Amino acid sequence: ALATAALALQAAECCAVPVFALLLVEGFSHTKNWKQYLLRVAVVAVISEVPYDLAMQGKLWDMSVQNPSTGLVLGMVVLYLYSRFSQPVASHKVLKVFVSVAAILWAEMLNIEHGTPLVLMEALFWLMRNRTGFRSLACAAVSLMCPFVSPFYLASSMGCLPVHMYNGEPGESNRIINYLAYPVILLAVVLAAKYMI
């Protein structure tokens, strides 16, 4: 039962990747100050590293694998460069391809959890931000290409359903809860595992 639950949770984790990619692109598209946005995401990535390493590696600090929030920081840099080279000319298109490939290589070199799929989906959502009708279909296609990272990505196309249902309108938001939910949940998992075993 525990093994089945663990497999289901891993599949659910992969389903969250399209949602986080869309949220990052939407946040970047609507932010008034991308530098402050980047700083907030980077602070969350640093704060999340300790509970992530405790939960995944059982160590206080382990640089062998980076938490997925680091992928969001990398994605912010990619989105910034996409926005800087936004003209529909050949040189800008080549630069976007170069930036995308470089980001995937950095995600792999830094061993960022879900890094490559996150970068691919962020690029997709940025390129299709004006074609929301096809966005979820393209998202599902990219999800089905990602099992080379993990076979659990076969389930990640389920994460495209919330992407499809997103209407472009922001909901009620509490910035503190939005940014601190991930590290707090990781810490709760660490504490639950410590006292359950």
Side-chain angles (χ1 to χ4, degrees), residues 164-187:
H164 178 71
M165 292 169 40
Y166 176 63
N167 62 7
E169 295 294 321
E172 289 186 27
S173 178
N174 183 316
R175 189 174 282 177
I176 294 172
I177 292 174
N178 291 347
Y179 284 103
L180 294 182
Y182 180 63
V184 168
I185 290 170
L186 282 173
L187 194 55

Side-chain angles (χ1 to χ4, degrees), residues 48-107:
S48 300
E49 193 62 37
V50 170
Y52 178 83
D53 290 341
L54 284 170
M56 300 301 185
Q57 311 297 331
K59 299 176 183 175
L60 190 62
W61 193 264
D62 181 50
M63 295 303 291
S64 64
V65 179
Q66 310 310 314
N67 77 82
S69 299
T70 310
L72 296 176
V73 175
L74 180 62
M76 283 281 293
V77 173
V78 170
L79 294 177
Y80 170 72
L81 292 172
Y82 283 175
S83 68
R84 286 293 307 268
F85 302 105
S86 59
Q87 299 299 318
V89 295
S91 60
H92 285 204
K93 290 177 182 177
V94 169
L95 280 167
K96 284 179 186 173
V97 170
F98 176 79
V99 165
S100 302
V101 171
I104 290 169
L105 292 174
W106 273 106

Side-chain angles (χ1 to χ4, degrees), residues 2 188-197:
L2 287 174
V189 168
V190 170
L191 293 172
K194 181 177 180 181
Y195 291 108
M196 286 173 63
I197 296 175

